[in-house]
Amino acid sequence: MTAALKFTVLLLTLVCGRGQLFNDIDYFDEEVKPAVLDSKYGSLWPLPQKVKISEVSFKLTSASFKIVDAKDSSAGPSCSLLKDAYRRYYEHMFGIAKRQQLSKSRRTGPSELTELQVWITSPDSECDGYPSVTSDESYELVVDQPYAVLKAPKVWGALHGLETFSQLVYEDEYGAKSINTTQISDFPRFAHRGILLDTSRHYLPIKVILANLETMAMNKINVFHWHIVDDQSFPYLSRTFPQLSQQGAYHPYTHVYTPADVKMVIEFARLRGIRVIPEFDTPGHTQSWGKGQKDLLTPCYSGSEPSGTFGPVNPILNTTYDFMSQFFKEISTVFPDAYMHLGGDEVDFSCWKSNPDIQKFMAQHGFGDDYSKLESYYIQKLLNIVSSTSKGYMIWQEVFDNGVKLKPDTIIHVWKGNQEQYQSEMAKVTSSGYQTLLSTPWYLNRISYGQDWRGHYKADPQDFQGTEEQKKLVVGGEACLWGEFVDATNLTPRLWPRASAVAERLWSAKEVTDVNDAFSRLSVHRCRLVERGIPAEPLFSSFCPREYKGV
């Protein structure tokens, strides 16, 4: 602590009292330590697997630079996904001004880079397809004269390569743009790199969802886990059961996601290489479902009389499974991804225990007083229903913990406990041969004063006791932003750039752990997000060359 700071502490002690002050000063002392040295990797985020940047630089101008298909690219001029990406990244680099034709009187100099050629090398570019958990997202980027070349087997890698190229562009104090000679070979460490947004506790306008999908692409995050309904509201407008949102949404017209809205989100995400995985969580978290679907929820009892309240989905009625069969058949056709998330967490058994019909059913099936067996009975039947739609499923860890019979390709989503507990859970899940995702250390709705991104950055989904084969069963992780205290007013700044820390952990090599280097790159990356119109929170005291101007 410097002499000046010690003197300040002495003065403040007289005013504030010693105990609380020194708690604050200790914390403050830690916070003033982040390195401010420039990273040798510039502002690349997430850090590519292999990077070589030289000091030789080329100028870029909006008048002469263009992004084009390479001559031998399999995507061809008809690939609208790439054409849309070329336009988007040109605007990221040069603004929205239209590119002007190079005048005959102006010649490009030897130090000017005028072209990025994008070469899709696989015969099937997947331009018209949807990204999946097995998609090839690798790419190679070479920036040199006479032009830069971006090679990728599939369009998904090309999208990431375009983002990387845009991050290599920098400008001097006069606004002139340059890029250095660079060689990059890159691919993600994990196939599933997700963000969960909750649209039930608070309705999120489509505009907000799309803006965050755009930001996800800027961080190479490739899964939007859409926790679309919950106890509080049912904003999904079902074609088969329109009464669910008519009765269960906060408002049946202004606070719902229509089929056209859902289709828009899925296509917007596809064009950025992002999968959309919906979550319809049952048998708990379903109070909003019961408002529009009679007899779906369990009537709770007070003594021998119904209390007028309802609990989880009623697992003993055939009508329950008839409804679920029709509903999930619809979901399987609306959402193209091979997986859907079925929830299965936090089931409160108290209502089931109070219901005499449930008690009788328990006795008939030999479940005794173990209501987790009743939950497993329901989940098993639901999983069979979903399997009949040819979809795979993800479930929260409680379903695995309760011993439900699961398909071999089931993905177990770990979210509970402290570090020791979630590491133990990851070991149990993988030792049973199941694939798993981690979210426990990445609940971004939990906030604290200071640089909590560093804790998110240090957490690693493969840090648990297990064999290499077990580690390979970790398909990735997700940052979760639950919506109790989050709506359109604060979602984006709360999410970014904290989610960027998770993005690098899931993309970059395991050895990329230098927090000081990360701080340097992330600070500039955050300013880049701000320049692109994203109100990402600052990491610490600083300024951006172009500050956020609001909407």
Side-chain angles (χ1 to χ4, degrees):
M1 191 181 294
T2 66
L5 186 55
K6 287 181 178 178
F7 180 70
T8 304
V9 169
L10 180 61
L11 290 177
L12 290 174
T13 302
L14 299 174
V15 179
C16 301
R18 182 178 178 84
Q20 180 59 45
L21 175 69
F22 272 93
N23 286 337
D24 293 342
I25 290 297
D26 290 343
Y27 192 78
F28 176 75
D29 240 358
E30 178 186 359
E31 288 297 308
V32 297
K33 291 178 183 176
V36 293
L37 298 175
D38 291 340
S39 169
K40 66 179 180 179
Y41 301 114
S43 61
L44 290 175
W45 196 278
L47 189 66
Q49 300 289 333
K50 295 181 181 179
V51 189
K52 185 178 181 181
I53 304 175
S54 85
E55 294 183 1
V56 178
S57 65
F58 309 112
K59 299 295 183 184
L60 283 83
T61 66
S62 60
S64 63
F65 183 78
K66 56 185 177 180
I67 307 173
V68 299
D69 296 315
K71 180 181 177 182
D72 296 325
S73 176
S74 65
S78 62
C79 182
S80 59
L81 180 147
L82 286 180
K83 291 296 180 290
D84 182 77
Y86 297 167
R87 174 197 55 76
R88 188 164 68 248
Y89 280 101
Y90 181 89
E91 291 179 358
H92 284 333
M93 290 183 284
F94 299 108
I96 60 175
K98 292 184 178 179
R99 187 168 71 89
Q100 300 173 348
Q101 292 296 320
L102 186 63
S103 66
K104 292 182 179 180
S105 62
R106 184 184 180 279
R107 296 285 185 265
T108 59
S111 65
E112 189 168 338
L113 190 71
T114 59
E115 200 166 88
L116 170 62
Q117 295 189 1
V118 180
W119 184 358
I120 307 301
T121 59
S122 173
D124 179 12
S125 68
E126 298 185 3
C127 183
D128 297 321
Y130 289 91
S132 72
V133 71
T134 58
S135 289
D136 188 337
E137 299 178 278
S138 65
Y139 67 93
E140 293 183 354
L141 176 63
V142 176
V143 180
D144 206 345
Q145 292 280 35
Y147 45 76
V149 177
L150 168 59
K151 285 185 180 181
K154 307 289 184 180
V155 293
W156 319 118
L159 291 172
H160 296 315
L162 287 166
E163 175 60 38
T164 297
F165 183 89
S166 75
Q167 294 183 4
L168 290 168
V169 177
Y170 59 94
E171 62 180 40
D172 62 21
E173 58 187 307
Y174 304 106
K177 296 184 183 293
S178 302
I179 190 168
N180 285 25
T181 301
T182 305
Q183 289 182 309
I184 288 177
S185 179
D186 202 11
F187 56 87
R189 180 181 169 205
F190 293 104
H192 186 121
R193 308 176 305 281
I195 284 180
L196 177 151
L197 296 182
D198 172 7
T199 58
S200 173
R201 271 85 179 192
H202 286 96
Y203 175 83
L204 298 178
I206 288 293
K207 180 181 178 181
V208 174
I209 294 175
L210 299 184
N212 280 278
L213 287 170
E214 188 79 74
T215 316
M216 287 168 60
M218 296 173 192
N219 291 270
K220 297 185 174 68
I221 291 173
N222 68 344
V223 176
F224 170 34
H225 176 168
W226 194 350
H227 188 88
I228 194 166
V229 303
D230 209 295
D231 280 329
Q232 290 77 9
S233 72
F234 197 105
Y236 172 76
L237 202 167
S238 166
R239 292 184 184 273
T240 312
F241 300 100
Q243 71 275 13
L244 289 170
S245 60
Q246 190 73 24
Q247 302 296 323
Y250 285 130
H251 189 283
Y253 304 118
T254 61
H255 285 60
V256 296
Y257 301 108
T258 66
D261 291 334
V262 173
K263 187 176 181 180
M264 181 194 302
V265 167
I266 292 170
E267 179 61 9
F268 190 93
R270 185 189 79 84
L271 291 174
R272 288 153 182 78
I274 299 171
R275 303 162 58 199
V276 179
I277 298 179
E279 180 183 354
F280 290 90
D281 190 1
T282 67
H285 293 279
T286 48
Q287 290 298 300
S288 65
W289 300 52
K291 295 177 181 179
Q293 185 65 20
K294 186 181 179 182
D295 298 329
L296 180 64
L297 303 185
T298 304
C300 305
Y301 276 68
S302 178
S304 60
E305 299 294 328
S307 65
T309 60
F310 295 87
V313 166
N314 193 331
I316 70 173
L317 300 180
N318 290 334
T319 53
T320 292
Y321 302 104
D322 292 338
F323 165 80
M324 292 296 176
S325 181
Q326 294 181 66
F327 181 74
F328 280 101
K329 183 178 180 180
E330 175 190 328
I331 298 305
S332 70
T333 61
V334 170
F335 292 89
D337 198 82
Y339 282 85
M340 61 179 75
H341 203 301
L342 301 178
D345 64 314
E346 297 182 317
V347 182
D348 183 355
F349 296 151
S350 58
C351 183
W352 281 352
K353 290 178 180 179
S354 74
N355 185 292
D357 295 326
I358 299 281
Q359 294 168 6
K360 186 184 299 183
F361 184 90
M362 292 280 289
Q364 290 172 347
H365 286 75
F367 292 164
D369 294 326
D370 188 355
Y371 283 83
S372 66
K373 291 182 178 178
L374 180 61
E375 179 188 7
S376 297
Y377 172 87
Y378 165 81
I379 293 287
Q380 193 67 68
K381 292 178 78 70
L382 177 65
L383 298 187
N384 292 340
I385 287 171
V386 173
S387 296
S388 70
T389 69
S390 300
K391 292 283 189 181
Y393 44 76
M394 300 164 54
I395 43 87
W396 295 111
Q397 69 181 75
E398 287 96 323
V399 178
F400 166 81
D401 293 340
N402 290 339
V404 175
K405 183 179 179 182
L406 302 169
K407 287 198 305 181
D409 65 344
T410 300
I411 297 177
I412 314 297
H413 198 162
V414 175
W415 71 278
K416 297 176 72 174
N418 57 29
Q419 182 176 354
E420 181 180 351
Q421 290 168 330
Y422 78 69
Q423 289 176 340
S424 174
E425 183 76 7
M426 297 287 281
K428 289 177 185 176
V429 171
T430 54
S431 66
S432 299
Y434 291 110
Q435 298 179 91
T436 184
L437 288 171
L438 180 65
S439 280
T440 309
W442 299 320
Y443 267 43
L444 303 188
N445 48 289
R446 298 171 182 157
I447 58 175
S448 60
Y449 189 79
Q451 298 191 57
D452 58 357
W453 70 270
R454 294 184 296 184
H456 307 321
Y457 189 77
K458 293 175 183 177
D460 192 296
Q462 288 184 331
D463 281 351
F464 61 87
Q465 293 295 319
T467 65
E468 285 305 308
E469 290 304 309
Q470 285 179 254
K471 303 292 178 72
K472 291 177 183 177
L473 291 171
V474 180
V475 294
E478 289 184 357
C480 300
L481 191 65
W482 298 98
E484 287 88 350
F485 303 98
V486 175
D487 67 2
T489 65
N490 64 342
L491 181 144
T492 303
R494 183 169 293 193
L495 188 58
W496 307 105
R498 295 160 75 230
S500 300
V502 183
E504 178 153 296
R505 179 56 50 235
L506 295 175
W507 178 280
S508 304
K510 184 178 178 66
E511 296 73 30
V512 178
T513 56
D514 186 336
V515 176
N516 287 334
D517 183 74
F519 178 84
S520 175
R521 289 182 291 110
L522 186 56
S523 296
V524 186
H525 178 60
R526 177 257 167 179
C527 283
R528 179 167 48 235
L529 297 180
V530 168
E531 183 176 351
R532 293 180 182 182
I534 308 300
E537 286 185 342
L539 298 180
F540 196 58
S541 303
S542 63
F543 78 99
C544 292
R546 293 180 178 86
E547 296 289 359
Y548 183 67
K549 295 180 173 60
V551 294

